[in-house]
Amino acid sequence: QVEQAYYRYWQDYSQALFTLDTSHMSDVAAGDELKRVQAEVAALQQRNRAVRVRVSHSALIVTIKGDKATVYDEQHDSSFLINPVTKEPHSGSVQPYLEKDIYYLQMMDGTWKIVKSLRQR
């Protein structure tokens, strides 16, 4: 269930960045993470940009204790900015890079949700 919730989060997160619509994010995220995604989408809207997410995951469930879980993911990210209307990419080449993130999940009303994420620098 934790793994399914994690990948569902990524589906909805990718869609939110593509459409600039966060209305479904509360189904998969809460707390700090929901606020972070809403702020990220608002910043994209101000810049008249959207994102086509292209990420390959190497996720690992680190812990599950009661109603809390932790997922570590090393992602090869080759996402790129697009025009929010035409969905055409903006100029410039995309250099893939490696992101290392930790995601904290919590069971809320019978659903696992991401409540916080930390990027390893």
Side-chain angles (χ1 to χ4, degrees):
Q1 288 179 339
V2 170
E3 183 178 19
Q4 289 174 347
Y6 178 71
Y7 287 115
R8 182 167 175 235
Y9 162 86
W10 268 96
Q11 288 175 337
D12 288 2
Y13 175 56
S14 299
Q15 190 65 19
L17 295 179
F18 186 75
T19 63
L20 303 179
D21 176 7
T22 61
S23 62
H24 295 286
M25 286 306 299
S26 62
D27 295 339
V28 295
D32 290 345
E33 185 66 10
L34 180 59
K35 291 175 191 170
R36 185 195 70 74
V37 173
Q38 290 169 333
E40 182 178 4
V41 169
L44 286 166
Q45 288 171 328
Q46 287 181 337
R47 294 174 42 216
N48 195 34
R49 300 286 188 265
V51 175
R52 182 173 307 276
V53 175
R54 293 236 169 103
V55 174
S56 62
H57 298 274
S58 295
L60 173 68
I61 297 171
V62 178
T63 60
I64 301 174
K65 291 184 181 178
D67 66 346
K68 295 184 180 355
T70 306
V71 173
Y72 174 76
D73 194 4
E74 291 188 359
Q75 308 146 17
H76 287 79
D77 190 344
S78 55
S79 301
F80 54 92
L81 293 172
I82 60 172
N83 180 294
V85 177
T86 66
K87 305 301 183 192
E88 292 295 318
H90 285 273
S91 61
S93 62
V94 176
Q95 292 293 331
Y97 54 96
L98 180 65
E99 296 286 3
K100 298 177 181 182
D101 295 336
I102 298 173
Y103 294 86
Y104 298 91
L105 293 85
Q106 185 169 343
M107 177 67 77
M108 302 175 133
D109 298 321
T111 302
W112 286 103
K113 294 185 181 188
I114 309 283
V115 294
K116 185 177 180 182
S117 64
L118 294 174
R119 176 140 295 154
Q120 305 297 300
R121 294 281 177 203

